[in-house]
Amino acid sequence: MPLPPKLAAATALCAALGACTVAGPMPGTVEYAAATVSRAYDCGLQVDRGRIIARLDRQERQRFVAANAGYAVKSYKAPHRCEASERERIKGEIGALARR
């Protein structure tokens, strides 16, 4: 039996919103940069955080510092394991953030 159109639309909307809350920050955002820096620390990579912050717009710096602090707290409680492929990906992203 097919769903009524309104119920089908509501179900699709809930599924889409559920995916948004699980996915994490969007690439290219300050929050994504903060999450990447936090994960780099988890992977044991060297991070020139000051250089990354210096490359951000003045308005974005506070958002980065706040988001980074939030991820650091979550990271402290999370496992600090990093597979080789993830480590290389994060290493590349950190390099790109420093050159941005």
Side-chain angles (χ1 to χ4, degrees):
M1 181 171 159
L3 293 175
K6 286 185 180 180
L7 182 57
T11 303
L13 179 64
C14 287
L17 289 175
C20 289
T21 59
V22 176
M26 295 289 295
T29 64
V30 175
E31 292 76 15
Y32 184 81
T36 303
V37 167
S38 180
R39 189 62 186 143
Y41 284 125
D42 287 348
C43 292
L45 297 171
Q46 287 187 342
V47 178
D48 189 350
R49 191 172 172 266
R51 187 173 184 179
I52 292 170
I53 291 172
R55 298 204 179 275
L56 296 173
D57 292 336
R58 181 175 223 136
Q59 306 90 323
E60 294 177 327
R61 290 177 187 163
Q62 284 184 320
R63 283 180 36 217
F64 176 88
V65 170
N68 195 237
Y71 287 116
V73 170
K74 291 177 186 176
S75 177
Y76 181 74
K77 296 176 183 179
H80 297 274
R81 261 186 82 197
C82 206
E83 301 292 328
S85 60
E86 181 183 17
R87 182 181 171 87
E88 287 303 311
R89 181 185 59 82
I90 296 290
K91 190 175 183 179
E93 289 181 18
I94 289 297
L97 287 171
R99 290 186 304 270
R100 180 176 140 168

